[in-house]
Amino acid sequence: MSTSFFGERFRRVMAEFLIFLKAGKFYFFPSARNLMLDLWYGYLHMRAVRADTTADIFLNDRVLLMEEAMADARLAWKKRRLYLRFLYAAADPELYSMIITFLEAPSFSSALSAGLIDKIERVRKPGLGGTRVVKEETVEEPVGVAGDAGGEPEQPAGSVEVASAAGSVEGARKRNLFAKTYFIAAELYYELKGQQAEFESLSRRTNKLAEFVKKQFHTVRLPGTFSDLRGYSYKPVLNGDNESRKGQLKPFFRQLSENPDVFGKPIAQRAQRILVEYF
């Protein structure tokens, strides 16, 4: 074989090694900037492996990995906080678009990275792209460790308490369910009953809708952003031509399909069918 062949192969191996170093830096030195490096170079590597991989697909996979990592009580708290902030940002339509733009940049952009980091640090709750700085006390470091006498670790900030159908809270069980997940659950409930017009009316009276959701889904409290969704419907986005916006609905339908004990089997099954058909 020619020297040029080995030279080209060596350059390719070195390029992949440099990508590995930059993408893997976050796991040894977790920071917001290193997380951005991990995401951008991770997407670069994924495109090299599979050319048809889009930023939406890559981001969805990363969100799933972060959610799985968050379920591990051994996850370092610095990484947990960074993942939590990023998951909040990914649920916000404006920030989701910014993340996609950042990933699709032809080269790693320090300016886009810095802008994202600033906005991610300021996001308040899932589904809301606020500009108010997050108070650090909303994400407190857990005192106990799973398995210790001190009890189980605390759940991520922004979770909501869900009571069982029997009326108990089942040991104050908490889940990180988004406000829009509950709103869509209510729409699916009325949709399955053939009462879409009733929902359209109720969706404009969020106080009444909140009362219905709490009673129907045995929810002790709702995320504060629930009232901001006045008049919302998932259908225009789901049936629209904007694939990026449509992809933003996936986390909400995933939560619906994965929690039949909260939302009921008919709603969970309907959400699963939508996931299969549209995503």
Side-chain angles (χ1 to χ4, degrees), residues 77-151:
W77 188 248
K78 192 168 185 179
K79 288 183 181 179
R80 183 180 297 277
R81 184 188 183 282
L82 288 166
Y83 283 162
L84 181 61
R85 298 256 65 79
F86 185 83
L87 291 174
Y88 281 10
D92 177 271
E94 179 184 352
L95 293 183
Y96 182 94
S97 297
M98 287 184 66
I99 295 169
I100 294 296
T101 300
F102 164 72
L103 291 174
E104 293 178 339
S107 60
F108 180 83
S109 171
S110 296
L112 286 177
S113 173
L116 263 178
I117 290 170
D118 179 67
K119 287 187 176 293
I120 288 172
E121 282 296 319
R122 293 171 180 272
V123 74
R124 290 183 293 165
K125 288 184 179 180
L128 179 63
T131 56
R132 194 164 26 170
V133 177
V134 181
K135 295 181 179 179
E136 289 301 317
E137 60 265 25
T138 61
V139 186
E140 297 176 353
E141 184 169 1
V143 176
V145 178
D148 289 353

Side-chain angles (χ1 to χ4, degrees), residues 12 45 60-61 85 116-117 125 151 161 193 219 257-258 262 270 273-274:
R12 189 180 306 141
H45 172 70
N60 177 70
D61 289 344
R85 298 256 65 79
L116 263 178
I117 290 170
K125 288 184 179 180
E161 294 182 1
K193 287 185 172 293
T219 305
S257 68
E258 292 176 350
V262 176
R270 172 61 178 153
R273 287 196 296 271
I274 289 174

Side-chain angles (χ1 to χ4, degrees), residues 27 38-39 42 57-67:
Y27 298 96
D38 173 55
L39 290 166
I57 293 173
F58 173 80
L59 183 54
N60 177 70
D61 289 344
R62 278 307 180 95
V63 165
L64 286 173
L65 288 173
M66 288 183 186
E67 290 174 343

Side-chain angles (χ1 to χ4, degrees), residues 13-255:
V13 170
M14 288 303 299
E16 291 178 356
F17 180 67
L18 288 174
I19 289 174
F20 170 77
L21 288 179
K22 292 179 180 180
K25 191 175 180 181
F26 170 78
Y27 298 96
F28 299 101
F29 307 101
S31 69
R33 176 174 168 77
N34 286 343
L35 178 58
M36 294 298 103
L37 284 167
D38 173 55
L39 290 166
W40 193 88
Y41 281 99
Y43 180 47
L44 179 67
H45 172 70
M46 186 60 69
R47 280 184 297 167
V49 175
R50 288 190 56 184
D52 61 339
T53 300
T54 65
D56 286 299
I57 293 173
F58 173 80
L59 183 54
N60 177 70
D61 289 344
R62 278 307 180 95
V63 165
L64 286 173
L65 288 173
M66 288 183 186
E67 290 174 343
E68 290 177 2
M70 293 277 290
D72 188 346
R74 297 169 297 178
L75 181 68
W77 188 248
K78 192 168 185 179
K79 288 183 181 179
R80 183 180 297 277
R81 184 188 183 282
L82 288 166
Y83 283 162
L84 181 61
R85 298 256 65 79
F86 185 83
L87 291 174
Y88 281 10
D92 177 271
E94 179 184 352
L95 293 183
Y96 182 94
S97 297
M98 287 184 66
I99 295 169
I100 294 296
T101 300
F102 164 72
L103 291 174
E104 293 178 339
S107 60
F108 180 83
S109 171
S110 296
L112 286 177
S113 173
L116 263 178
I117 290 170
D118 179 67
K119 287 187 176 293
I120 288 172
E121 282 296 319
R122 293 171 180 272
V123 74
R124 290 183 293 165
K125 288 184 179 180
L128 179 63
T131 56
R132 194 164 26 170
V133 177
V134 181
K135 295 181 179 179
E136 289 301 317
E137 60 265 25
T138 61
V139 186
E140 297 176 353
E141 184 169 1
V143 176
V145 178
D148 289 353
E152 297 181 351
E154 295 179 12
Q155 298 295 106
S159 60
V160 295
E161 294 182 1
V162 181
S164 69
S168 67
V169 183
E170 296 183 358
R173 179 164 52 99
K174 295 183 178 181
R175 302 181 184 183
N176 194 26
L177 300 176
F178 302 144
K180 195 170 288 187
T181 299
Y182 284 104
F183 215 93
I184 294 175
E187 182 170 5
L188 291 178
Y189 175 89
Y190 280 93
E191 178 184 311
L192 290 169
K193 287 185 172 293
Q195 299 175 346
Q196 187 65 29
E198 285 82 347
F199 171 77
E200 290 176 2
S201 174
L202 190 60
S203 70
R204 295 181 178 87
R205 296 177 291 154
T206 52
N207 288 339
K208 291 290 184 181
L209 183 59
E211 291 176 7
F212 166 78
V213 168
K214 288 179 180 179
K215 181 178 179 181
Q216 180 63 34
F217 303 128
H218 313 287
T219 305
V220 176
R221 61 186 177 87
L222 292 171
T225 56
F226 186 87
S227 60
D228 296 330
L229 297 170
R230 181 176 180 272
Y232 175 82
S233 172
Y234 74 87
K235 289 184 177 179
V237 176
L238 190 67
N239 297 319
D241 297 326
N242 191 320
E243 293 298 323
S244 179
R245 290 190 64 202
K246 187 183 298 184
Q248 294 168 28
L249 291 174
K250 191 170 183 178
F252 310 120
F253 282 101
R254 188 189 304 122
Q255 286 193 338

